[in-house]
Amino acid sequence: MDTFWHLEKEDFFKGIDEAKSAFLKNAQRLELSKNEMVFLEGDAGDSCFYIESGLIRIFCMDRAGKEMTFSLRMKGEIFGISEVLNNSPRKASAQTASASVLYAINRQDFESMLQEHYPLARSVITLLGRRLRQMGDLVRRQNSDVANRLASLLISLAYETLRTTEGWNKPCEIPLSIPQEQLASMVGSTQPTVSATLQQFRNAGLIVGAGRRIVLLNPIEMIYRLDHNLL
């Protein structure tokens, strides 16, 4: 399962309850609907965010105006830290991929917390190191074909459900309704190509689904094919 090492994560504040209480006390609670923008590329990086529930898509636009999704941030994760620490503009945009509840804290309060809570500062350093490695893996995956990128995305979307099941060889429904146009954006492709690739997965017995709902029939088989370039 090393292909998905970056998905093996716990709540950012696990083990540092005092820091979490301080964070939530100083933060603003935001209830956002699906597809709402959290921030745009170029905005001031004056706050970071903790996800109480929902899913956040981090993306940017290339010179041709095409979206490229870098990552999906899920429940228990924190994002927007780098710009806060560097006092720099946003390097990418963030948008809700489902209804979400966030806690936003401003730079001054977060920096004060880092000085007062050493375990929090240590957690931030560890997190940034993991994300640097994850970005390197992302660059390598972007050089693979669409089938590999799409399979990796589907496993990522289903991961929170998969980790609570008895086995990865059983069917698992992706708990989000995502249109093919958005899937295409996430893997840097086009809707017709994604549609054809999904049909390829159906023909191979890897998925079933109707509309925007997708069920992974045998996730472990998909991971095996992904790891061995058999898609």
Side-chain angles (χ1 to χ4, degrees):
M1 303 300 176
D2 191 58
T3 301
F4 297 96
W5 64 270
H6 58 282
L7 299 177
E8 288 288 354
K9 51 183 174 287
E10 299 172 328
D11 190 292
F12 175 77
F13 287 106
K14 184 177 181 181
I16 48 173
D17 294 340
E18 183 179 349
K20 182 175 184 178
S21 296
F23 184 100
L24 298 181
K25 180 180 179 180
N26 288 285
Q28 177 185 6
R29 189 173 187 270
L30 306 174
E31 296 185 9
L32 304 178
S33 303
K34 181 178 180 180
N35 294 329
E36 280 198 58
M37 298 303 303
V38 182
F39 53 75
L40 293 170
E41 184 177 356
D43 284 353
D46 52 8
S47 57
C48 57
F49 304 84
Y50 172 75
I51 306 174
E52 180 180 88
S53 64
L55 184 69
I56 305 298
R57 183 171 69 98
I58 310 297
F59 69 98
C60 71
M61 306 286 286
D62 64 19
R63 294 180 179 178
K66 185 177 180 180
E67 291 185 2
M68 177 180 178
T69 297
F70 290 117
S71 61
L72 297 171
R73 301 297 177 209
M74 304 178 186
K75 176 182 177 181
E77 290 195 77
I78 194 167
F79 66 97
I81 291 180
S82 296
E83 295 92 343
V84 168
L85 297 179
N86 294 325
N87 192 21
S88 62
R90 300 293 183 191
K91 303 301 183 184
S93 300
Q95 181 183 36
T96 59
S98 67
S100 304
V101 176
L102 309 179
Y103 282 87
I105 191 169
N106 64 47
R107 177 188 297 111
Q108 182 176 356
D109 288 338
F110 190 65
E111 289 179 343
S112 296
M113 285 188 60
L114 291 176
Q115 295 176 6
E116 297 171 5
H117 300 273
Y118 171 71
L120 174 64
R122 184 175 57 192
S123 294
V124 167
I125 292 171
T126 300
L127 176 67
L128 293 177
R130 287 174 60 86
R131 288 185 177 169
L132 182 61
R133 179 185 168 191
Q134 181 181 355
M135 185 58 66
D137 285 359
L138 173 64
V139 171
R140 285 189 289 273
R141 287 199 302 273
Q142 289 301 319
N143 293 325
S144 63
D145 61 26
V146 174
N148 281 275
R149 299 201 302 271
L150 184 56
S152 180
L153 173 62
L154 294 180
I155 293 293
S156 299
L157 292 172
Y159 193 80
E160 284 304 307
T161 300
L162 285 169
R163 69 185 303 179
T164 61
T165 62
E166 295 180 358
W168 284 42
N169 60 344
K170 299 179 180 179
C172 171
E173 181 175 347
I174 293 176
L176 293 169
S177 176
I178 301 179
Q180 291 185 6
E181 291 82 0
Q182 193 166 2
L183 289 176
S185 169
M186 292 179 178
V187 298
S189 185
T190 64
Q191 185 275 328
T193 300
V194 165
S195 179
T197 306
L198 289 172
Q199 186 58 52
Q200 173 187 331
F201 291 170
R202 292 188 189 95
N203 295 340
L206 295 174
I207 68 169
V208 293
R212 299 179 180 180
R213 286 295 181 181
I214 297 175
V215 176
L216 307 183
L217 291 177
N218 192 334
I220 196 68
E221 173 67 17
M222 179 173 280
I223 291 172
Y224 176 84
R225 295 193 186 195
L226 182 62
D227 282 342
H228 293 80
N229 295 315
L230 298 176
L231 291 169

